[in-house]
Amino acid sequence: MFRWILGGREAQSSVEKSPVLCIGEEQPKNWFTELQVLKGHFDIVRFLVQIDDFRCASAGDDGLILVWNIETGERLQELRGHSQQITAMTTFSCSDGLVSHPSLISASSDRSVSLWDPDTGNRVQTISDLQSSVKCLLVLERLCLWVSGGEELCLWNRDFQLQCQKQSHSDTGITALIELPKNCMAAAMDKEIMIYRLTVAPDSSLTVAELRCLSDHQDQVRALINVSDGLFASGSHAGELILWDAIDWNILAYEHILWEESQSPAQAEIRLGAPKPSEMSIQQLSTNGKVLILAAVGSGLYVYSVLTKTVVAYRKVAHDSNVLHTMLLSDRSEVMSCSEDGSVRMWEIQDLPLPAEPASPGFFGLWNFGRSNKQSGPPKKIMDVPNIRTLELTGDLIGHSGAVQMFVSFKENGLVTCSADHLLILWKNGERQSHRRSLALFKKLEENGGLVR
Amino acid sequence: MIGSPDVVAFTKEDEYSQTNPDAWALPEEFSIPLHPLANTNPWAKTSYAKFTKDFILISEFSEQVGPQPLLTIPDDPKVCGTFDLNYFSLRIMSVDYQASFVGHPPGSGYPRLSFVEDSRVVLGDSKEGAFAYVHHLTLYDLEARGFVRPFCMAYVSADERKIMLQFQELSLRFSQASECLKAGNRRAFAKELQRKLRDLEYTHSVLEREEGLQKEAGPQCMYSPHAVEKANELANVEKSIYEHRDLLRQINSYHCHPRRDPHAVTCQKCMTECLSECEKLLDKYAKLANPFSYTVQMGKVEEQERQINVEGGQEGVEDMEDEGIGRRPSYTPQLIKAKSAKCFDKRLKTLRELCDESFYEATVELLKETERSFRGDLCYLYTRRLDKTLRRRQRVTNFLFEEELGVDDEDEGGILRPFCAVNHAADSYTLLDPPAIVLRPEPLELDSLQPPDPLDPASETSHIQSELEQGHLESSPSDHTLETQESSEETKGSFSSDKSGMGPAEKPQSLASVRPEPPDPDCDLTPDPDHNADLERESSSEETTAGEDEGGDQTPVSLLEVVSELEASRDDDCERISDGVCEMESDLLVPLDTACCMSQEGFLYEVSAPEAGSHPGQPSESLVVNQEPQAFLPLQDDYAVGSPCSESPVAGLELPMGLFGDGVSRTSVEDGSDCTMSASTGSERAASPLGYGGLVTLRHRKKAGQGALRFVRQYPFAIQALWCLLSGRTLVVLGSDEGRVRRLVAALALFVPSPGKCGERVQPWLSCPFTLTDLQRWKLIGLQRVASPVGSSMLYSLSRYSRYISILDADQKTLRCPPYRGKLLANIADHRTYIRRGSTYFLNLQSTLCRLAARAFLFTFTHHLHLPVSSTEGPEVVEGRRRCFLQEQLGLDEEDSQILLYLSQLITQQYLQAATGSSAAAPCFSFTYTTSVLYKI
């Protein structure tokens, strides 16, 4: 495509080697036509947390937390205090009868956890000298408590007083935490999911008890999410997706996503050897809170329906590289994903005109077609489902020069992406912004009393 | 002595006046051209003049040597060429219509200062091909004859109409300069009076003490001839004190004097400052000092001074500190010998000394600015003025395509605004203080304050003269006639009838010529290679002459010789004359003797003769006498240091090579382009200023015009490239040859909306991969194509961000950008254009861009195109209305609308940012998702 630029006989860029879908420059459905580059970090930005309708906090390996106004792109606060990279960050809003305003809890690998006031930039509370660094945080808003997970599970109240502590059994420690009904919690530890129950004694002291250990995964559990009140899901490094009942912790469904075609010799010459483990690893799960679970598997995307308990749509190679974060927009059938290749892609779950023939354009489409002829294993099952739908690329956002770690959507106000290139990019609807500016212009014009000053 | 001034009206419109046909004039074919067709460029008005471009001449009617040129602006001998400044000074000084008479009014016994209004005359000299606006003014000098020194400032041009039509403006500018000079002069005069008074009081006290001693000695001594002489001396000193005090009072009352000159607006601050200063002095010398008090107080003078200073406020405090350090010139009272009480220094003060240093500098700056603003021919001036007026009205959109309006440009709005060229903030403190008195000899001041040398013939004669001219006549009758343009033309008429018998045809003609001359479109169609060649020849010849002139280091030496010779001859003179004249000094009423004039003339010839004779090789330099003959020694320094770095923009970059080194000549070639059409840009030397942090000036932009024209003519897809730039899509110029890429970028930078004062949004040469922030910052990027790992990563960034950029490949001559099919840019990007000259193209471009900016302004500030009119309207209705406006009313299709939308966005941002200052938020970067196509040549 860019051979003309090279003007020589040099090797072609990776664009042509990769079988990834390319949408081109015409993207009528992509309304992100304006961007602002937010600078401030000095290292990889890994976490984004939405504080309220117009604020967002970013944190990364430089130990800095920055609070941004996403309407204007201004940097509101700079929260300094951690000496090493941030490992987890969450908002913490505990209504104590008074007006509750959101705070931020951040954990860093300097083995400290801090509570910040994003309005003033003050460090309200801090705990240092923890036994291990915290890998995940869970806020139990109902109880005004929060839980930190690392090599041990700690329960804290809102004044940062330790309520209870529990050593974990695995070496890797707790990597993910979710809240379950009936004062229960699920914690992902290596290949197991541990269910804890929180009990409040009459003297209001709190205890945490291990109830059950779910060890159905063959490999390390990478993702753990609540799907709805009665369901939660987990995904493993080996591509297993398990749907659990949140009350009695039974397996409701088991889906193993595997690249079966790599075993077939015909494809092997195209595939460069066996699939790397990461290519079937479930990096991240997201849900729209209803019936769909989106799994980021390697560089592909899978949409799993809780109702039919099947994969309803998928893109095996949705990105050039591993997908790092995904999102299902709740009301529309839209999907967003970001990847190590530095791009954010927007997809739409569309019905296929012909169920047996996924009509995706480009090279990947051919590929898909080719594979559908080889009918063996789970993909065959997928193909057999009559109402299979497809993920159609509707647009991509290119701006970052490093892996896009995460993104947060502010609905029509825009989208914030953070990346390994130390930048945040605020993507906005150009027309909306233009309208906003016009409003501001005429307001100011009125204030000035006309153009002539 | 003075030949009849050959009047302005005498010279008719020159033979090239067909652009402005005059019903009264003979048809062109019947008229005989006054001057043969010497120059191939018919548009150069200076074709037969001896100087190359307009200049400002400051001359003085020196009482010692008669009319003499003091200073030209620009201070470059080449400007005047072979033009005889001495002769022309004579001419302009001879039409002084100020009445500067000083002397005793019938009623009072004291000499009076006359407050003379400036006079303004236009005069011409057809033989020399020179016309001048002449502004006469009078400065006060305690040591000068009648306390006055007549000066004049002249704007000399070869184009009469330029002067006539710019009369108002010239008059205003020169009035400002004159007021500035006069304000400084009054201040200096008051200070001088103060010094003099102090001397006199000191002398007075000394004399009184002596007299007292004599009285004590007994009556026999009281009537001795010696005692009588002393008594007379004392009386004289007393009289002198009264006179000087009266002078001080008079100069103080200057501001109460009603001004009849409409242009004579003085700065209020200067005025009050000066006033308070004078009042302070007046108070101080209100009464004659107690006979012995002065000596008693001598020790306390400092104390007094301190008190005064404390009263004076803050400056006083600083003053005291300074006194302690002794940085400021201090002053010791001098005993004035009786004989020399009214004697004059042998050396007259220079203009710089006459006015306060800061005022002088400010005036020179003002005049330089004036000279700069009147460069170019009339039509150019008019166009520029129109342009400025327009731009002043379009402040909101100026940032898009126009260069920054200077502060001075904005000033032109208020014509009669009180103006002061002196920077008050910086100078007020030094100006306010009277010289402090320290009982310590101060060598620097000595020469001007010493009892004047009785052997100085000049001072003698002029002194005598001044005594005689003591009629009191306040101002000249001709003041009024010259104040306005009409009256100036009247003067012209009167001149003609008086002196040279000018034909009646002139007057209607000059009236008709008030109309601005329309720029002739044909002139641009003439192919330019000839012209370029001419220019080159010109410049080369100039450089060679500069080399000849250089004579380099010899100049100071020769100047020294002049000085020594001068001094030698002068000493002789002194010895001859002194004896006879000395006796008359103290007498106040000596009848005017023609001998004074004679001796003056004699001096004139004596001075000029050795100069001209001994150094024939340096005519240009000896034309301007910067200072009085005695002051030659400091002059060398002025020349050596001052002139090479005159006012050229590159002065800081180039080392002064010598007196007339390359630096000067080259810069004069560059900014000496009086003519609008002379912007010749050899593409080879297109060193663009971009990216070096320098201001992008109009000249740079004009030069870029040539490159832009070349680009448009060379590339059929130029229109698409221009569209990209104008619609805010970053254009990357990719190439392996740095020079070519830089040239292209410099040319295309013209089309970048809102390029920033220093072209911040243009990156002429980048050799590393760029990022998104770079795209956001720069709208035009020159990118190096390299075949290396760096190159491949660069290509990767190119392909990665391809949706945001257009790529112009300078090597392959291709352009990759979204398709553009609009018509809006057709007239600036027509590769079959008939425009051949860069500057013409630039003007064409500017008008198109200006039109665009105006449309964008309209679009931006039309409320209903952006916001709903009523609450029931949805955004779709507004959207439809906007679309309708763009398409139906402005006739723009989709792609052309994008230009307008982008410009509108810039205007909005600029307008909103203007209030908040520099916004903390990151800038926005808008784009669209459209497919690009590849254009090939």
Side-chain angles (χ1 to χ4, degrees):
Chain A
M1 181 168 128
F2 279 91
R3 191 171 301 162
W4 59 273
I5 297 177
L6 291 154
R9 303 279 177 271
E10 298 169 39
Q12 294 308 295
S13 66
S14 61
V15 176
E16 291 191 18
K17 279 189 283 187
S18 112
V20 84
L21 179 70
C22 190
I23 184 177
E25 286 164 344
E26 197 91 38
Q27 301 177 6
K29 287 187 182 172
N30 188 349
W31 49 267
F32 294 106
T33 54
E34 190 173 308
L35 64 84
Q36 270 178 298
V37 177
L38 311 182
K39 293 182 199 169
H41 283 287
F42 306 106
D43 209 334
I44 299 174
V45 192
R46 291 188 191 271
F47 299 99
L48 284 174
V49 168
Q50 179 173 359
I51 298 170
D52 49 28
D53 285 344
F54 70 100
R55 283 186 300 174
C56 163
S58 64
D61 287 1
D62 52 4
L64 267 182
I65 302 170
L66 303 180
V67 182
W68 305 89
N69 179 341
I70 63 116
E71 279 177 6
T72 62
E74 281 171 288
R75 190 197 307 172
L76 299 174
Q77 297 292 342
E78 196 164 311
L79 315 180
R80 291 173 179 271
H82 289 298
S83 60
Q84 287 181 42
Q85 62 196 54
I86 309 283
T87 51
M89 181 165 71
T90 181
T91 52
F92 180 63
S93 59
C94 187
S95 56
D96 45 357
L98 300 165
V99 185
S100 73
H101 73 271
S103 317
L104 280 173
I105 300 178
S106 65
S108 157
S109 37
D110 61 4
R111 289 187 292 157
S112 69
V113 178
S114 297
L115 179 76
W116 308 87
D117 183 351
D119 297 335
T120 61
N122 291 335
R123 178 140 118 171
V124 183
Q125 299 279 355
T126 185
I127 314 160
S128 47
D129 302 327
L130 293 169
Q131 288 171 12
S132 64
S133 67
V134 174
K135 288 182 181 164
C136 55
L137 291 166
L138 173 68
V139 171
L140 306 169
E141 262 181 55
R142 199 162 35 85
L143 303 169
C144 262
L145 295 169
W146 59 277
V147 184
S148 67
E151 280 171 26
E152 64 272 324
L153 181 86
C154 300
L155 184 69
W156 310 82
N157 69 3
R158 68 163 177 264
D159 299 320
F160 272 54
Q161 285 158 338
L162 183 63
Q163 304 294 309
C164 185
Q165 193 171 353
K166 206 88 186 169
Q167 282 296 326
S168 77
H169 305 295
S170 83
D171 298 338
T172 50
I174 299 169
T175 52
L177 273 170
I178 54 167
E179 186 183 0
L180 296 178
K182 297 184 180 172
N183 285 355
C184 288
M185 289 180 294
M189 286 182 277
D190 203 11
K191 294 178 186 174
E192 293 158 355
I193 297 171
M194 186 68 82
I195 306 291
Y196 293 97
R197 171 162 285 164
L198 190 72
T199 48
V200 184
D203 59 341
S204 75
S205 67
L206 296 159
T207 49
V208 172
E210 290 175 16
L211 284 188
R212 192 187 294 186
C213 180
L214 313 173
S215 44
D216 297 279
H217 276 295
Q218 304 296 314
D219 207 337
Q220 193 184 354
V221 178
R222 302 289 292 263
L224 187 64
I225 56 159
N226 268 315
V227 178
S228 57
D229 283 345
L231 288 172
F232 71 95
S234 61
S236 83
H237 191 68
E240 306 153 295
L241 176 70
I242 302 181
L243 204 58
W244 306 87
D245 189 309
I247 312 287
D248 53 18
W249 315 303
N250 292 325
I251 296 181
L252 292 179
Y254 179 93
E255 181 77 41
H256 196 183
I257 300 164
L258 254 183
W259 306 132
E260 84 300 331
E261 74 277 9
S262 57
Q263 273 92 40
S264 95
Q267 301 286 335
E269 56 191 23
I270 298 172
R271 302 290 307 180
L272 301 163
K276 283 172 281 181
S278 69
E279 282 180 340
M280 60 180 109
S281 153
I282 296 183
Q283 314 276 343
Q284 201 249 349
L285 290 171
S286 59
T287 173
N288 61 357
K290 288 168 192 158
V291 293
L292 293 178
I293 298 172
L294 179 66
V297 184
S299 56
L301 288 175
Y302 280 78
V303 180
Y304 183 85
S305 166
V306 177
L307 295 181
T308 61
K309 297 200 171 42
T310 50
V311 173
V312 289
Y314 68 97
R315 267 295 169 195
K316 201 172 50 141
V317 184
H319 281 275
D320 290 337
S321 189
N322 281 346
V323 176
L324 293 177
H325 191 80
T326 57
M327 188 181 64
L328 265 168
L329 297 173
S330 56
D331 40 358
R332 287 161 291 176
S333 51
E334 284 176 28
V335 172
M336 264 190 188
S337 60
C338 66
S339 147
E340 282 174 2
D341 65 4
S343 66
V344 177
R345 294 199 163 161
M346 290 168 290
W347 312 83
E348 212 172 68
I349 304 169
Q350 288 177 348
D351 289 323
L352 273 183
L354 292 169
E357 203 170 328
S360 50
F363 197 43
F364 179 66
L366 287 174
W367 238 68
N368 221 357
F369 188 77
R371 198 207 51 180
S372 65
N373 292 335
K374 315 267 174 190
Q375 299 194 346
S376 61
K380 182 191 165 201
K381 190 179 77 185
I382 292 168
M383 298 315 290
D384 288 340
V385 175
N387 59 347
I388 178 92
R389 293 186 286 175
T390 179
L391 275 175
E392 208 58 51
L393 185 62
T394 58
D396 58 350
L397 306 178
I398 292 178
H400 286 294
S401 53
V404 181
Q405 298 285 341
M406 198 175 179
F407 57 85
V408 165
S409 169
F410 284 81
K411 305 275 165 43
E412 62 270 22
N413 283 328
L415 177 83
V416 187
T417 56
C418 66
S419 154
D421 62 2
H422 313 177
L423 299 178
L424 277 81
I425 296 183
L426 188 52
W427 304 84
K428 287 177 172 182
N429 184 343
E431 251 173 63
R432 218 181 132 82
Q433 291 300 310
S434 150
H435 181 252
R436 278 170 51 103
R437 279 193 290 266
S438 284
L439 269 176
L441 176 90
F442 286 109
K443 184 159 165 274
K444 197 182 149 195
L445 199 60
E446 208 165 304
E447 281 167 9
N448 287 348
L451 272 170
V452 185
R453 268 170 287 169
Chain B
M1 179 170 105
I2 296 164
S4 69
D6 147 54
V7 195
V8 173
F10 178 69
T11 46
K12 72 178 289 290
E13 270 295 302
D14 62 79
E15 63 279 13
Y16 305 112
S17 61
Q18 65 268 59
T19 51
N20 200 4
D22 179 12
W24 299 90
L26 276 175
E28 191 198 347
E29 52 270 30
F30 295 132
S31 67
I32 303 155
L34 277 174
H35 306 278
L37 200 64
N39 198 317
T40 48
N41 181 4
W43 311 107
K45 294 277 186 185
T46 56
S47 50
Y48 50 88
K50 288 175 177 167
F51 46 92
T52 52
K53 59 175 184 172
D54 298 0
F55 62 94
I56 292 173
L57 171 67
I58 300 180
S59 297
E60 174 193 13
F61 196 98
S62 163
E63 57 198 51
Q64 291 172 339
V65 297
Q68 62 169 357
L70 296 180
L71 176 73
T72 57
I73 294 169
D75 193 8
D76 179 0
K78 273 202 296 296
V79 170
C80 318
T82 57
F83 188 64
D84 188 350
L85 286 179
N86 270 316
Y87 174 70
F88 202 70
S89 296
L90 188 75
R91 299 289 301 274
I92 56 178
M93 288 311 294
S94 68
V95 288
D96 188 354
Y97 281 85
Q98 303 178 103
S100 48
F101 292 104
V102 183
H104 294 284
S108 79
Y110 303 129
R112 301 281 304 174
L113 287 179
S114 63
F115 300 133
V116 190
E117 302 282 353
D118 299 355
S119 77
R120 302 168 178 83
V121 182
V122 175
L123 94 117
D125 186 336
S126 63
K127 199 171 90 227
E128 299 276 332
F131 297 87
Y133 164 86
V134 187
H135 193 106
H136 293 279
L137 71 153
T138 305
L139 299 181
Y140 302 112
D141 183 356
L142 198 54
E143 288 149 4
R145 174 179 51 160
F147 307 121
V148 291
R149 302 272 303 268
F151 284 90
C152 89
M153 302 179 286
Y155 185 84
V156 187
S157 167
D159 185 3
E160 175 204 350
R161 288 178 63 241
K162 180 171 169 187
I163 287 180
M164 295 313 286
L165 297 179
Q166 306 292 323
F167 184 85
Q168 285 288 353
E169 175 93 17
L170 280 168
S171 165
L172 173 73
R173 297 276 199 142
F174 278 92
S175 297
Q176 286 175 348
S178 161
E179 287 306 316
C180 189
L181 276 183
K182 288 198 284 188
N185 173 243
R186 282 196 299 276
R187 193 166 290 203
F189 188 62
K191 276 184 196 163
E192 204 187 347
L193 274 173
Q194 182 203 16
R195 265 190 223 121
K196 185 82 177 189
L197 273 171
R198 201 166 289 163
D199 287 351
L200 285 170
E201 287 198 0
Y202 177 63
T203 314
H204 182 250
S205 67
V206 170
L207 285 175
E208 267 190 333
R209 202 166 25 169
E210 281 179 13
E211 198 186 32
L213 287 175
Q214 279 177 350
K215 273 183 187 164
E216 281 169 21
Q220 72 278 12
C221 289
M222 271 182 57
Y223 300 104
S224 70
H226 181 67
V228 169
E229 197 186 312
K230 280 283 173 209
N232 279 339
E233 214 174 291
L234 187 64
N236 271 339
V237 168
E238 267 174 37
K239 187 167 193 291
S240 191
I241 289 178
Y242 283 120
E243 279 170 13
H244 282 88
R245 205 182 296 144
D246 193 59
L247 284 176
L248 189 57
R249 192 187 50 73
Q250 285 180 45
I251 198 77
N252 192 22
S253 73
Y254 178 86
H255 300 291
C256 316
H257 179 73
R259 307 296 303 271
R260 278 176 300 180
D261 190 344
H263 286 323
V265 224
T266 36
C267 167
Q268 203 60 36
K269 192 160 188 301
C270 281
M271 211 157 90
T272 47
E273 268 178 20
C274 192
L275 210 60
S276 63
E277 193 179 325
C278 289
E279 266 165 12
K280 228 159 58 185
L281 291 179
L282 259 189
D283 288 347
K284 208 161 146 192
Y285 300 102
K287 53 179 183 292
L288 200 60
N290 198 19
F292 296 98
S293 69
Y294 203 77
T295 36
V296 176
Q297 282 177 356
M298 282 293 270
K300 295 183 180 174
V301 169
E302 260 192 275
E303 194 68 25
Q304 272 184 350
E305 199 59 29
R306 196 161 297 181
Q307 278 172 357
I308 291 163
N309 285 336
V310 169
E311 282 159 20
Q314 271 189 324
E315 286 82 7
V317 180
E318 284 172 294
D319 179 25
M320 273 167 55
E321 290 169 5
D322 284 349
E323 246 176 80
I325 308 163
R327 249 191 301 142
R328 296 184 50 241
S330 54
Y331 175 64
T332 320
Q334 301 288 323
L335 189 66
I336 295 180
K337 288 190 191 132
K339 281 186 178 174
S340 59
K342 287 290 286 179
C343 205
F344 293 95
D345 274 339
K346 55 190 172 185
R347 164 187 171 277
L348 285 176
K349 289 192 176 63
T350 61
L351 185 55
R352 188 185 286 267
E353 288 165 326
L354 271 181
C355 310
D356 247 22
E357 178 76 19
S358 54
F359 282 87
Y360 176 78
E361 295 294 341
T363 310
V364 171
E365 271 315 302
L366 200 63
L367 289 178
K368 277 182 183 166
E369 176 55 38
T370 306
E371 192 272 327
R372 229 171 283 142
S373 71
F374 280 102
R375 271 180 201 171
D377 63 5
L378 201 54
C379 130
Y380 172 66
L381 285 179
Y382 271 113
T383 327
R384 207 181 50 181
R385 193 150 310 164
L386 281 176
D387 180 48
K388 261 184 199 167
T389 325
L390 186 68
R391 272 194 286 154
R392 257 198 293 278
R393 291 197 192 141
Q394 290 226 326
R395 277 175 203 282
V396 184
T397 56
N398 275 340
F399 74 98
L400 286 177
F401 299 111
E402 309 289 344
E403 84 269 28
E404 199 69 9
L405 267 180
V407 184
D408 49 327
D409 294 340
E410 290 173 30
D411 280 345
E412 280 172 28
I415 290 294
L416 287 182
R417 206 174 58 84
F419 172 83
C420 189
V422 179
N423 182 6
H424 284 299
D427 297 330
S428 58
Y429 129 74
T430 39
L431 292 180
L432 258 177
D433 301 319
I437 302 170
V438 171
L439 291 176
R440 183 152 45 97
E442 179 58 51
L444 279 181
E445 299 264 331
L446 281 183
D447 59 343
S448 61
L449 300 164
Q450 263 171 352
D453 188 355
L455 300 182
D456 186 358
S459 64
E460 296 306 326
T461 51
S462 53
H463 160 61
I464 297 162
Q465 251 184 350
S466 79
E467 315 280 37
L468 300 173
E469 291 191 355
Q470 287 179 345
H472 177 72
L473 226 160
E474 279 247 304
S475 63
S476 76
S478 65
D479 281 352
H480 301 275
T481 52
L482 298 170
E483 276 166 12
T484 58
Q485 186 162 325
E486 289 85 16
S487 67
S488 78
E489 281 174 12
E490 271 171 37
T491 331
K492 246 166 59 178
S494 72
F495 267 129
S496 65
S497 57
D498 279 349
K499 313 217 167 143
S500 51
M502 164 53 209
E506 150 59 18
K507 203 169 175 182
Q509 173 133 15
S510 70
L511 279 178
S513 64
V514 175
R515 269 182 277 121
E517 185 178 337
D520 194 337
D522 293 339
C523 67
D524 289 324
L525 300 179
T526 57
D528 56 347
D530 292 355
H531 183 72
N532 276 348
D534 269 2
L535 267 180
E536 275 167 46
R537 236 177 287 134
E538 221 176 274
S539 64
S540 64
S541 70
E542 264 179 337
E543 263 165 327
T544 51
T545 52
E548 285 165 14
D549 266 5
E550 197 164 10
D553 313 327
Q554 297 163 6
T555 312
V557 179
S558 57
L559 270 173
L560 270 175
E561 284 169 17
V562 175
V563 173
S564 55
E565 274 180 36
L566 271 178
E567 275 176 347
S569 67
R570 181 185 283 261
D571 283 349
D572 293 344
D573 279 353
C574 294
E575 272 161 20
R576 261 190 287 118
I577 301 174
S578 58
D579 299 344
V581 204
C582 277
E583 310 304 322
M584 303 147 83
E585 297 169 304
S586 54
D587 202 334
L588 285 172
L589 288 167
V590 179
L592 173 58
D593 194 342
T594 45
C596 308
C597 297
M598 292 301 290
S599 74
Q600 259 194 357
E601 276 177 30
F603 194 77
L604 170 74
Y605 296 133
E606 271 169 20
V607 171
S608 52
E611 252 190 319
S614 59
H615 306 284
Q618 298 180 326
S620 53
E621 198 184 353
S622 57
L623 282 176
V624 177
V625 182
N626 265 19
Q627 284 175 304
E628 294 286 329
Q630 281 271 313
F632 258 122
L633 279 168
L635 174 72
Q636 312 167 30
D637 292 341
D638 283 0
Y639 261 101
V641 181
S643 58
C645 42
S646 49
E647 33 137 337
S648 61
V650 290
L653 303 174
E654 288 187 34
L655 287 169
M657 306 278 289
L659 285 189
F660 304 99
D662 267 356
V664 178
S665 63
R666 201 175 305 136
T667 52
S668 69
V669 169
E670 286 211 346
D671 38 0
S673 53
D674 255 358
C675 197
T676 350
M677 302 82 174
S678 64
S680 69
T681 313
S683 63
E684 297 316 307
R685 51 163 181 162
S688 77
L690 301 165
Y692 296 121
L695 281 180
V696 180
T697 62
L698 188 65
R699 197 176 334 133
H700 293 138
R701 287 157 61 89
K702 275 187 186 164
K703 277 188 174 182
Q706 182 68 42
L709 178 62
R710 188 170 292 134
F711 175 74
V712 164
R713 292 167 62 86
Q714 193 175 351
Y715 295 92
F717 48 74
I719 191 166
Q720 279 82 14
L722 302 197
W723 173 73
C724 289
L725 289 170
L726 286 170
S727 60
R729 193 179 171 101
T730 302
L731 181 69
V732 176
V733 181
L734 185 71
S736 44
D737 175 20
E738 175 169 358
R740 186 195 279 176
V741 172
R742 276 185 185 276
R743 274 198 296 279
L744 265 177
V745 169
L748 289 170
L750 283 182
F751 303 94
V752 178
S754 178
K757 266 180 218 162
C758 310
E760 296 94 338
R761 309 211 67 182
V762 178
Q763 169 63 46
W765 185 244
L766 187 73
S767 42
C768 55
F770 54 87
T771 61
L772 187 67
T773 31
D774 295 336
L775 292 184
Q776 198 171 0
R777 183 165 35 155
W778 298 318
K779 286 294 169 194
L780 178 60
I781 302 175
L783 189 67
Q784 183 181 18
R785 182 205 303 272
V786 276
S788 69
V790 185
S792 68
S793 74
M794 198 176 312
L795 289 173
Y796 176 70
S797 64
L798 269 184
S799 67
R800 179 166 187 83
Y801 299 117
S802 64
R803 65 176 56 175
Y804 306 125
I805 55 175
S806 304
I807 303 169
L808 176 67
D809 191 324
D811 301 331
Q812 319 265 317
K813 304 217 186 308
T814 57
L815 172 72
R816 186 182 178 278
C817 73
Y820 168 73
R821 291 166 297 266
K823 292 164 193 67
L824 193 59
L825 304 179
N827 72 333
I828 56 167
D830 178 12
H831 75 280
R832 288 182 296 271
T833 179
Y834 288 111
I835 299 176
R836 289 292 180 274
R837 305 187 66 116
S839 50
T840 317
Y841 178 72
F842 175 71
L843 292 178
N844 175 34
L845 172 66
Q846 253 200 330
S847 70
T848 307
L849 294 181
C850 182
R851 196 171 142 83
L852 266 180
R855 284 177 172 193
F857 173 80
L858 177 68
F859 175 73
T860 311
F861 288 95
T862 305
H863 184 275
H864 69 271
L865 297 180
H866 304 279
L867 301 176
V869 177
S870 68
S871 54
T872 53
E873 277 184 356
E876 306 80 24
V877 183
V878 180
E879 170 65 34
R881 202 158 44 212
R882 181 161 57 223
R883 195 179 299 276
C884 173
F885 175 80
L886 289 172
Q887 285 179 358
E888 308 286 313
Q889 276 173 282
L890 296 185
L892 304 174
D893 60 17
E894 189 62 36
E895 285 128 8
D896 286 334
S897 303
Q898 278 183 29
I899 298 179
L900 220 56
L901 288 171
Y902 176 63
L903 296 183
S904 165
Q905 186 200 337
L906 288 177
I907 294 172
T908 309
Q909 276 174 358
Q910 176 84 6
Y911 187 75
L912 291 176
Q913 265 175 21
T916 52
S918 56
S919 158
C924 294
F925 176 61
S926 296
F927 46 88
T928 49
Y929 298 101
T930 42
T931 320
S932 291
V933 291
L934 186 65
Y935 291 93
K936 288 179 184 147
I937 203 157

